[in-house]
């Protein structure tokens, strides 16, 4: 349990329960995490967060199996999180927050724990309208989608965006961002299934197992593609 909160006082120390990966696994089936107790406290530019929910991303498995050569061991995995700030500057304490970080869970200890230490600039307030689980699932998928769209050019009204793997979490994030910007979205799936995510406008779905994707895209866009 955390010590009593002292705004702007000495850093609070907690004994956290943390998932730990002691060494690189040969494959996904060989990942053998353990749970350890570790003492955590923040530095001056960090917050100490009681974790309410944390996501599991494909990158967690890739890092655990050595596909990210810069991953370090032992460590606590997990990149995305949502929780309550229990230590930091006085104006942060008690706030519901969520976020993500590029090296959390890979180069340093991450979010699969009861508590997390993270830099203040990686944290934003959690909207009241979304749950802990929803907030914890935003990070990697939406950062990936937004960065891809930033590099390609943020879609605008009147433009069409083709999303391969539209029911993946990054695909769903692309749909939300693109339709929020007013663009039309065409999604591609590997089997006969409807779009499963949120959208601000209808999504035309192409079943790649039964339809020529290129021909159908040309048809839907009056030959433009």
């Amino acid at each position: 349990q955390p010590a009593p909160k002292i705004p702007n006082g000495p850093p609070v120390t907690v004994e956290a329960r943390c998932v730990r990966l002691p060494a690189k696994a040969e494959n996904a089936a060989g990942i053998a995490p353990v749970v350890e107790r570790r003492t955590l406290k923040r530095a001056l530019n960090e917050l100490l967060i009681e974790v309410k929910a944390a996501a599991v991303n494909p990158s967690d498995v890739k890092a655990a199996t050595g596909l990210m050569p810069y991953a370090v061991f032992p460590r606590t995995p997990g990149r995305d999180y949502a929780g309550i700030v229990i230590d930091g500057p006085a104006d942060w304490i008690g706030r519901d927050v969520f976020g993500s970080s590029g090296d959390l869970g890979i180069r340093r200890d991450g979010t699969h724990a009861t508590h997390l230490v993270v830099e203040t600039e990686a944290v934003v307030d959690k909207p009241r309208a979304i749950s802990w689980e929803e907030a914890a699932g935003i990070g990697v998928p939406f950062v990936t989608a937004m960065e891809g769209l930033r590099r390609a050019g943020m879609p605008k009204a009147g433009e069409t965006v083709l999303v391969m793997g539209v029911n993946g979490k990054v695909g769903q994030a692309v749909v939300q961002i693109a339709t929020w910007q007013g663009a039309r979205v065409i999604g591609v799936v590997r089997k006969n299934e409807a779009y499963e995510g949120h959208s601000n406008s209808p999504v035309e779905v192409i079943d790649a197992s039964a339809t020529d994707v290129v021909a159908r895209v040309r048809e839907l866009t009056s030959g433009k593609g």
Side-chain angles (χ1 to χ4, degrees):
Q1 294 296 317
K5 301 177 211 174
I6 307 174
N8 294 326
V12 169
T13 299
V14 298
E15 186 181 3
R17 287 182 293 111
C18 307
V19 174
R20 300 288 287 171
L21 299 176
K24 182 181 77 172
E26 291 300 317
N27 51 51
I31 297 174
V34 297
V35 177
E36 296 180 356
R37 291 187 176 273
R38 297 176 63 80
T39 300
L40 300 181
K41 66 178 180 179
R42 70 180 183 91
L44 289 177
N45 64 334
E46 296 175 327
L47 302 174
L48 179 61
I49 295 169
E50 179 185 342
V51 177
K52 293 295 186 180
V56 177
N57 287 289
S59 57
D60 298 321
V61 178
K62 291 176 182 177
T65 56
L67 294 180
M68 293 184 175
Y70 45 85
V72 299
F73 296 91
R75 73 174 189 287
T76 297
R79 301 177 71 183
D80 299 341
Y81 62 91
I84 301 173
V85 178
I86 62 171
D87 188 34
D91 59 340
W92 278 98
I93 294 178
R95 284 162 65 172
D96 295 350
V97 297
F98 75 106
S100 182
S101 178
D103 60 352
L104 274 178
I106 297 177
R107 283 190 287 255
R108 62 191 176 108
D109 289 338
T111 65
H112 296 173
T114 57
H115 297 80
L116 170 71
V117 173
V118 68
E119 62 273 22
T120 304
E121 58 266 28
V123 174
V124 293
D125 288 305
K126 181 185 79 67
R128 292 182 179 273
I130 63 175
S131 69
W132 294 115
E133 292 79 10
E134 288 168 334
I138 288 174
V140 167
F142 274 84
V143 169
T144 305
M146 184 64 81
E147 179 61 10
L149 291 174
R150 186 191 67 80
R151 294 183 186 189
M154 189 60 64
K156 302 183 290 291
E159 294 183 334
T160 300
V161 178
L162 179 67
V163 183
M164 311 299 287
V166 73
N167 274 332
K169 295 309 173 188
V170 174
Q172 292 183 22
V174 171
V175 171
Q176 292 187 55
I177 296 168
T179 58
W180 168 48
Q181 296 295 315
R184 176 193 186 190
V185 169
I186 301 171
V188 178
V189 292
R190 294 181 180 179
K191 58 185 178 181
N192 183 18
E193 62 184 15
Y195 174 60
E196 298 174 348
H198 174 77
S199 176
N200 294 288
S201 60
V203 176
E204 176 78 26
V205 177
I206 301 173
D207 175 7
S209 69
T211 304
D212 183 319
V213 174
V214 174
R216 181 58 177 155
V217 170
R218 293 286 186 191
E219 182 182 351
L220 290 170
T221 59
S222 300
K224 183 179 179 182

